[in-house]
Amino acid sequence: MVSNSNSSSEYNRKKNKEEMKQQLITFTLMIVFTLIAFSMVIFEFDKLYVIPVLLILAVVQVIFQLYYFMHMKNKDHEMPAFMFYGGLTVATITILTLSVITWW
Amino acid sequence: MSDHTLNPEKMPHNPEKATLEGKNKFLAFWFFLGGETVLFASLFGTYLALKGSTNGGPAAEEIFELELVFVMTMLLLTSSLTSVYAMYHMKNNNFGKMQLWLGVTVLLGIGFLSFEIYEFTNYITNEDFTFRTSAFGSAFYTLVGFHGGHVTFGLLWIITLMIRNAKRGLNLYNAPKFYIASLYWHFIDVVWVFIFTVVYLMGKVG
């Protein structure tokens, strides 16, 4: 029994370490994305494609944050994902509405 | 519940979701984050709509300093990683190291907040850019200030948890509390990613 529980905690430790490794890779990528975003603006690249690339970088970085740092990739996160995407849907509609009434 | 229920001899793999209370907190907190997303979306929408209304005051591309924003971004992003470390040690049932990394997170958060206060003071005293200067000013201070308020609240939350539980050690009663505070801290960084992109970088591009 004792050895059994030890091996399971060993297994969990290994699993935690594995997850930590993924999170470190995520962090490195997020730093790289931030550097790209800032340098594109500092070196004054063409506005026409800087803005869409900036937005894409931000979205990817947030996806990393949500799925890896906040564990949304894990199995027991169906309801949290539902809650969050519910909020995100209303958020999108809100920004869309405010943009349309301003610039249409 | 008996003391043994909350302080088991062997901690479960996910101490933050081992009790019903922990599960409820976890779910309700994600529901709250969905609501927070809507709150910040309306502030972002307002900012985008009023961004050009400078009323003769300074415009976005004139006042923003990217060096400062870059340092702030790095501080907050790193603090997100240190709170990941804290949760890693929580799952390995290492209370001391969890407290240590939460402490580092708090220090980085305080650094971020100090730079933000410096930034606002600089705008108000040297650039003549206040909440009342223009619609752009109102929208800017509301959006960025709201985020700063979240940082302040998050810092107080984590510090309170650290002090309140310092002598208790980790158990199934406080593990969900620590976990949820760290989720909140990550969410603050999520919002900041959009602030530095939409407000500062896109403001500089024009």
Side-chain angles (χ1 to χ4, degrees), chain B residues 67-133:
Chain B
E67 295 87 348
L68 186 70
V69 179
F70 182 74
V71 174
M72 285 163 76
T73 305
M74 285 302 153
L75 284 175
L76 208 61
L77 193 58
T78 312
S79 81
S80 210
L81 180 77
T82 55
S83 79
V84 164
Y85 269 113
M87 290 308 108
Y88 169 71
H89 290 300
M90 184 194 81
K91 289 196 173 179
N92 284 339
N93 199 15
N94 190 334
F95 182 69
K97 280 196 174 159
M98 183 193 77
Q99 290 276 73
L100 176 76
W101 283 106
L102 284 178
V104 178
T105 309
V106 166
L107 287 181
L108 290 166
I110 290 172
F112 172 87
L113 203 61
S114 315
F115 277 116
E116 183 148 273
I117 292 168
Y118 162 78
E119 185 198 5
F120 283 8
T121 326
N122 181 39
Y123 290 160
I124 292 166
T125 51
N126 301 329
E127 310 276 352
D128 235 0
F129 176 61
T130 70
F131 196 83
R132 297 196 296 171
T133 305

Side-chain angles (χ1 to χ4, degrees), chain B residues 17-87:
Chain B
K17 276 171 281 183
T19 59
L20 179 62
E21 190 179 333
K23 283 189 186 113
N24 287 342
K25 278 205 171 93
F26 170 70
L27 194 57
F29 195 77
W30 275 96
F31 184 50
F32 166 74
L33 286 186
E36 288 268 279
T37 314
V38 181
L39 167 80
F40 275 104
S42 42
L43 294 177
F44 269 108
T46 312
Y47 175 81
L48 288 172
L50 298 176
K51 195 181 150 201
S53 314
T54 51
N55 190 30
E61 61 265 33
E62 293 164 19
I63 46 167
F64 293 156
E65 280 172 38
L66 288 187
E67 295 87 348
L68 186 70
V69 179
F70 182 74
V71 174
M72 285 163 76
T73 305
M74 285 302 153
L75 284 175
L76 208 61
L77 193 58
T78 312
S79 81
S80 210
L81 180 77
T82 55
S83 79
V84 164
Y85 269 113
M87 290 308 108

Side-chain angles (χ1 to χ4, degrees), chain B residues 168-182:
Chain B
R168 282 176 173 163
L170 194 66
N171 56 37
L172 295 185
Y173 169 68
N174 57 28
K177 293 171 185 258
F178 282 113
Y179 185 78
I180 277 162
S182 96

Side-chain angles (χ1 to χ4, degrees), chain A residues 19 22 24 68 70 73-74 97:
Chain A
E19 188 169 30
Q22 287 179 355
L24 266 177
Y68 287 90
M70 295 168 83
K73 66 168 178 33
N74 292 2
T97 312

Side-chain angles (χ1 to χ4, degrees), chain A residues 16 23 65 71 76 102-103, chain B residues 13 17 80 84 92 179 189:
Chain A
N16 291 344
Q23 282 163 330
Q65 183 90 258
H71 312 287
D76 51 351
T102 315
W103 291 299
Chain B
H13 178 45
K17 276 171 281 183
S80 210
V84 164
N92 284 339
Y179 185 78
D189 197 54

